[in-house]
Amino acid sequence: MQNFVFHNPTKIIFGRKTVPSVGAETAALGKKALLVYGQSSIKQSGLYDQVMSSLAEVGVTVIEHGGTRSNPLLDHVRAGIAKVKKEQVEVIVAVGGGSVIDTAKAIAAGAVVEHDVWKFFIGKKSIKAALPVLTVLTLAAAGSEMNSGMVITNQDTQEKFGFGHRLLFPKISILDPEVTFTVPPDYTAYGAVDAIAHVLEFYMTTQDTDTPVQARFIEGLILDAMESCDRCLADSNDYGGRANLMWTATLALNGLTAAGLGRVGFPMHMIEHSLSALYDVPHGAGLSVVMPGWLQWYLEQNAAPARITQLGRGILPPAEQQELAGESDTVIAERTIAFLRTWFSKVKSPVSLAELDIPAGDIPRIAENALGLAKVWRLKQYTQEVVEDILQRCA
Amino acid sequence: MQNFVFHNPTKIIFGRKTVPSVGAETAALGKKALLVYGQSSIKQSGLYDQVMSSLAEVGVTVIEHGGTRSNPLLDHVRAGIAKVKKEQVEVIVAVGGGSVIDTAKAIAAGAVVEHDVWKFFIGKKSIKAALPVLTVLTLAAAGSEMNSGMVITNQDTQEKFGFGHRLLFPKISILDPEVTFTVPPDYTAYGAVDAIAHVLEFYMTTQDTDTPVQARFIEGLILDAMESCDRCLADSNDYGGRANLMWTATLALNGLTAAGLGRVGFPMHMIEHSLSALYDVPHGAGLSVVMPGWLQWYLEQNAAPARITQLGRGILPPAEQQELAGESDTVIAERTIAFLRTWFSKVKSPVSLAELDIPAGDIPRIAENALGLAKVWRLKQYTQEVVEDILQRCA
């Protein structure tokens, strides 16, 4: 196990009917709030009214900042920062999924400096302070509600960049699984795919495999994501399914699954970010295209596919394990990749560029875009040629 | 899944050569420290010198409070409180295992009130403030380094009582697995047993089994504890074994394994606390006696042994699983109990009262003692008769 520091100060308030706690919790952080949210869905569902009345009850003044879209945009962040500065907002309340929460974090950091917020993303400036952020989660996916990361797309440069900082942990996150009853099947699946992608990156890219504690935790979370997603797709109002999916996605990226693994990379996310930036593909949909292709490439690169085989022993169903007894590591690894791909297809998350209507001829362009992030994320081995090679397997 | 609040603010500094960070981390919390530690072992190992010189380097004044024993005593806590009050200590530094850390927490809470600290334990007073606690962990076992609980024995009343409070989380815990190279085989095993007991209590006593996320996490941690303990016993200086055991024990009781399970109980701990209080048995040794007996009793009480069977499917080795295909739930449950008992014996942790030289004739007396805690912990179903019944299976 590698040395690590783990310090996650986010307070999670989880469960049924927890949304009305937003008022009192916000009031403890500030008297004037910027309310960040996305499209009309929270108004239709009644969540918006619930939050607004809870904030009004405790006398918190609300400045609205709606309209956050998925793959959230830098301009929208900048507009939020302008509002915070003008109105002297004290606390940011994010009501939404990862895009809304990431926007809130970027505003929280950008509002306390004079320079442009994008300088944080390109490594020209570092965060020294941030306003407090409280979240009300509406989508089980990104894990941003309990971590210090954020991802924003610069619409001018078509760059989707992300990073983390200890001052970006939300102070409080309210997770009511009932809020996600209205999430449609496609986005429910994309969320589960996202959670799987997060832990799979850690699992596959760590150089230290003497970390069985983390490996078992991750294998469990992958199965949790699949099972709970299946339940939500079968019955959108299955509370247990929604609750298990929500908590799985949060745990997948709250720092624990990676603690002790040393340096890990996000090569699959890197490639997916290009798909999102260039084609505005939903993040999870892009990930389910990239993951099997990346794993296949990894398997071909590595004479010893031991890590994928280990994953298979952790997640393949007992009957399939039995059937595979005596088979080579490569066969088990291939079955493991097929197992994931098949499940992605089953939940209708795409597994090829073609399904996203992206022609194979675009591969060089996608790879080129990915290289910008490869530099920032220090994924040096991912050259234009390598990324194209991977993308060929995703075509 | 049941509603929960999860908020664990402890900062973990984990890994090789992390002990020298104690000085700077302590200095940030206060300039005068009470150093709580146990017997001579930390002096022999050089850890004491390391901590003292790190604290001296940053100018932290140290008041010593050594001599904490396992099953730590109330009088020793009271003596520590007196020193803190007299010397106006600002921070408590615990260098030790669960007993030392629990002592430090009790001192931290007791030093800021006028009344006797035992009133917290018997529910006559509640904690409103506490001094900051920093820990340097020397034993993978109790999990106290990352939780808000503490257990202290009142030598006058022979009561071993424990409880938790959010102000008792250590601010910082330094976990260097190399520090545990010198832990002898018996205490290494008792530590692993303790970690297993913690998660097994949650697993078995939750009323909400629609919690696969927690179940898989727990099953993984049980296997992690067993495997890493085996490695440490084979080679005391196996860093990977020590690191995985240490992190397992911390994760087992940092709140995550229980979050969402609703009301859980500690019946096995309750009975073990009587063994410790009456016979000064090492905690882990008492637990390995109680666990299989309690599980056997549970199996006999419950017509549907589904939960133990589920545990078996999560932790029994694949070969044994295959062998058990088609067997009844009861058979699988019995094999699961046998699997645990056999492993406890293998690592030389006792599995019967006889091995602890406790005569079966003492059972009524042990049960009687346990009832005091049953009341405090609200384990109403555990009457004198029931506890005797369980203890008969541990004889």
Side-chain angles (χ1 to χ4, degrees):
Chain A
M1 205 180 296
Q2 300 296 300
N3 284 16
F4 65 87
V5 172
F6 178 80
H7 188 205
N8 188 323
T10 301
K11 176 177 166 184
I12 298 291
I13 301 173
F14 188 104
R16 292 176 205 267
K17 317 293 175 211
T18 50
V19 172
S21 60
V22 65
E25 298 288 348
T26 302
L29 298 172
K31 288 296 170 198
K32 201 169 200 180
L34 186 78
L35 185 73
V36 184
Y37 59 95
Q39 312 301 325
S40 53
S41 64
I42 67 162
K43 294 198 175 167
Q44 283 159 15
S45 70
L47 179 61
Y48 173 86
D49 288 339
Q50 257 193 297
V51 170
M52 288 298 275
S53 75
S54 177
L55 291 168
E57 256 175 46
V58 293
V60 170
T61 308
V62 175
I63 310 296
E64 295 209 32
H65 190 57
T68 306
R69 27 157 290 178
S70 71
N71 299 317
L73 297 177
L74 178 59
D75 272 354
H76 179 66
V77 170
R78 286 177 178 145
I81 290 169
K83 285 183 191 171
V84 168
K85 287 182 172 177
K86 183 178 169 222
E87 303 281 353
Q88 297 183 291
V89 162
E90 295 167 347
V91 51
I92 318 290
V93 176
V95 182
S99 299
V100 166
I101 298 172
D102 286 6
T103 298
K105 289 176 177 179
I107 293 171
V112 297
V113 291
E114 291 308 310
H115 63 76
D116 183 54
V117 67
W118 191 246
K119 288 193 174 172
F120 292 136
F121 289 82
I122 54 174
K124 296 274 183 201
K125 289 281 182 186
S126 57
I127 293 174
K128 303 234 164 50
L131 293 179
V133 172
L134 180 149
T135 87
V136 178
L137 187 65
T138 63
L139 184 68
S144 188
E145 63 277 7
M146 199 186 182
N147 70 38
S148 61
M150 58 178 178
V151 179
I152 296 292
T153 296
N154 184 331
Q155 63 290 337
D156 299 328
T157 60
Q158 286 195 316
E159 291 165 320
K160 183 176 176 179
F161 279 7
F163 72 103
H165 190 280
R166 67 182 171 78
L167 291 171
L168 297 178
F169 284 102
K171 295 286 179 206
I172 293 152
S173 283
I174 298 170
L175 278 58
D176 182 345
E178 287 187 354
V179 165
T180 63
F181 282 176
T182 52
V183 175
D186 52 356
Y187 275 85
T188 300
Y190 301 156
V193 169
D194 196 15
I196 291 170
H198 291 148
V199 292
L200 197 63
E201 300 264 27
F202 300 148
Y203 195 95
M204 292 307 303
T205 65
T206 178
Q207 297 301 306
D208 186 349
T209 54
D210 188 8
T211 45
V213 179
Q214 293 82 349
R216 286 202 177 91
F217 189 25
I218 286 173
E219 291 158 6
L221 289 172
I222 292 174
L223 292 176
D224 293 328
M226 289 175 155
E227 273 182 20
S228 54
C229 177
D230 286 342
R231 287 173 64 177
C232 299
L233 296 183
D235 174 4
S236 189
N237 289 7
D238 177 345
Y239 183 82
R242 292 291 182 185
N244 280 290
L245 182 58
M246 191 173 240
W247 192 220
T248 294
T250 301
L251 290 174
L253 201 61
N254 78 344
L256 268 187
T257 47
L261 298 184
R263 206 171 137 51
V264 290
F266 279 79
M268 299 179 250
H269 275 73
M270 173 190 72
I271 299 173
E272 193 293 312
H273 282 197
S274 291
L275 298 181
S276 293
L278 296 173
Y279 307 96
D280 203 18
V281 166
H283 183 49
L287 286 167
S288 60
V289 170
V290 175
M291 270 189 279
W294 185 90
L295 286 166
Q296 195 61 45
W297 168 83
Y298 178 91
L299 181 58
E300 288 164 29
Q301 298 302 305
N302 290 271
R307 193 63 169 172
I308 307 182
T309 308
Q310 182 187 349
L311 177 67
R313 293 200 200 285
I315 67 171
L316 287 171
E320 205 164 333
Q321 304 261 12
Q322 218 166 306
E323 200 186 305
L324 286 168
E327 291 289 355
S328 72
D329 274 12
T330 305
V331 170
I332 297 171
E334 272 164 358
R335 282 286 280 272
T336 307
I337 299 170
F339 174 71
L340 289 169
R341 186 190 279 115
T342 304
W343 185 81
F344 295 150
S345 284
K346 191 184 94 177
V347 299
K348 299 195 169 54
S349 201
V351 293
S352 67
L353 293 175
E355 287 177 69
L356 294 172
D357 292 324
I358 298 173
D362 281 14
I363 285 178
R365 180 180 167 231
I366 303 166
E368 201 177 333
N369 182 287
L371 293 188
L373 201 52
K375 203 175 287 176
V376 180
W377 286 359
R378 292 188 223 157
L379 291 165
K380 286 178 194 170
Q381 70 274 45
Y382 289 87
T383 60
Q384 175 84 21
E385 198 188 350
V386 167
V387 178
E388 285 189 26
D389 198 18
I390 295 165
L391 282 163
Q392 292 295 349
R393 288 167 179 78
C394 309
Chain B
M1 202 179 301
Q2 300 297 301
N3 284 16
F4 65 87
V5 173
F6 178 81
H7 187 203
N8 188 322
T10 301
K11 176 177 165 185
I12 297 291
I13 301 173
F14 189 104
R16 294 176 202 268
K17 316 294 178 210
T18 50
V19 172
S21 61
V22 66
E25 298 288 349
T26 302
L29 298 172
K31 288 297 171 197
K32 202 169 199 181
L34 185 79
L35 185 73
V36 184
Y37 59 96
Q39 312 299 326
S40 54
S41 64
I42 68 160
K43 294 196 173 168
Q44 283 159 16
S45 70
L47 179 61
Y48 173 87
D49 289 339
Q50 257 192 298
V51 171
M52 289 297 274
S53 73
S54 177
L55 291 169
E57 256 173 47
V58 294
V60 170
T61 308
V62 175
I63 311 295
E64 296 208 30
H65 191 57
T68 307
R69 27 157 289 178
S70 71
N71 299 319
L73 298 177
L74 178 60
D75 272 355
H76 179 65
V77 170
R78 287 177 177 146
I81 291 169
K83 285 182 191 172
V84 169
K85 287 182 172 176
K86 181 176 168 223
E87 304 280 353
Q88 297 184 289
V89 162
E90 296 167 348
V91 50
I92 318 289
V93 177
V95 182
S99 300
V100 166
I101 298 171
D102 286 6
T103 299
K105 289 176 178 178
I107 292 171
V112 297
V113 292
E114 291 309 310
H115 63 76
D116 183 53
V117 67
W118 191 247
K119 289 193 175 174
F120 291 136
F121 290 82
I122 54 174
K124 297 273 182 202
K125 290 281 181 185
S126 58
I127 293 175
K128 304 236 164 52
L131 293 179
V133 172
L134 181 150
T135 88
V136 178
L137 186 65
T138 63
L139 185 69
S144 188
E145 64 277 7
M146 199 185 182
N147 70 38
S148 61
M150 58 177 179
V151 179
I152 297 291
T153 297
N154 183 334
Q155 63 288 337
D156 300 328
T157 59
Q158 287 194 317
E159 290 166 319
K160 183 177 177 177
F161 280 7
F163 73 103
H165 190 280
R166 68 183 170 79
L167 292 171
L168 297 178
F169 283 102
K171 295 284 180 207
I172 293 153
S173 283
I174 297 169
L175 278 58
D176 182 345
E178 287 188 354
V179 164
T180 62
F181 282 176
T182 52
V183 175
D186 51 356
Y187 275 85
T188 300
Y190 300 156
V193 169
D194 197 15
I196 292 170
H198 291 147
V199 292
L200 197 62
E201 300 264 28
F202 300 147
Y203 196 96
M204 292 307 305
T205 65
T206 178
Q207 298 299 307
D208 185 350
T209 54
D210 188 8
T211 45
V213 179
Q214 294 82 348
R216 286 202 177 92
F217 190 23
I218 286 174
E219 291 158 6
L221 289 172
I222 292 173
L223 292 176
D224 294 327
M226 289 176 155
E227 274 183 19
S228 55
C229 177
D230 285 343
R231 288 174 64 176
C232 298
L233 296 183
D235 174 3
S236 189
N237 289 5
D238 177 343
Y239 182 82
R242 291 293 184 185
N244 280 290
L245 182 57
M246 191 173 239
W247 193 221
T248 295
T250 301
L251 290 174
L253 200 63
N254 77 345
L256 269 187
T257 47
L261 298 184
R263 205 171 136 54
V264 290
F266 279 78
M268 300 179 249
H269 275 74
M270 173 191 74
I271 299 173
E272 193 292 315
H273 281 197
S274 292
L275 298 180
S276 292
L278 296 173
Y279 308 97
D280 203 18
V281 167
H283 183 50
L287 285 167
S288 60
V289 170
V290 175
M291 270 189 280
W294 185 90
L295 286 166
Q296 195 62 45
W297 168 82
Y298 178 91
L299 180 58
E300 289 164 27
Q301 297 302 304
N302 289 272
R307 193 63 170 171
I308 308 183
T309 308
Q310 183 186 351
L311 177 68
R313 293 200 201 282
I315 68 169
L316 287 171
E320 205 163 335
Q321 303 261 14
Q322 217 165 308
E323 202 185 303
L324 287 167
E327 292 288 355
S328 72
D329 274 12
T330 305
V331 170
I332 297 172
E334 271 164 359
R335 283 287 280 273
T336 307
I337 299 171
F339 174 71
L340 289 169
R341 186 189 277 116
T342 303
W343 185 80
F344 295 151
S345 283
K346 192 184 91 175
V347 300
K348 298 195 168 52
S349 201
V351 294
S352 67
L353 293 174
E355 286 178 71
L356 294 172
D357 292 326
I358 299 172
D362 282 14
I363 284 178
R365 180 180 167 231
I366 303 167
E368 201 176 332
N369 181 288
L371 294 188
L373 201 52
K375 203 174 288 174
V376 179
W377 285 0
R378 292 187 224 159
L379 291 164
K380 285 179 194 169
Q381 71 274 46
Y382 289 87
T383 60
Q384 175 82 21
E385 198 187 352
V386 167
V387 179
E388 285 189 27
D389 197 18
I390 294 165
L391 282 163
Q392 292 295 350
R393 286 166 180 78
C394 310

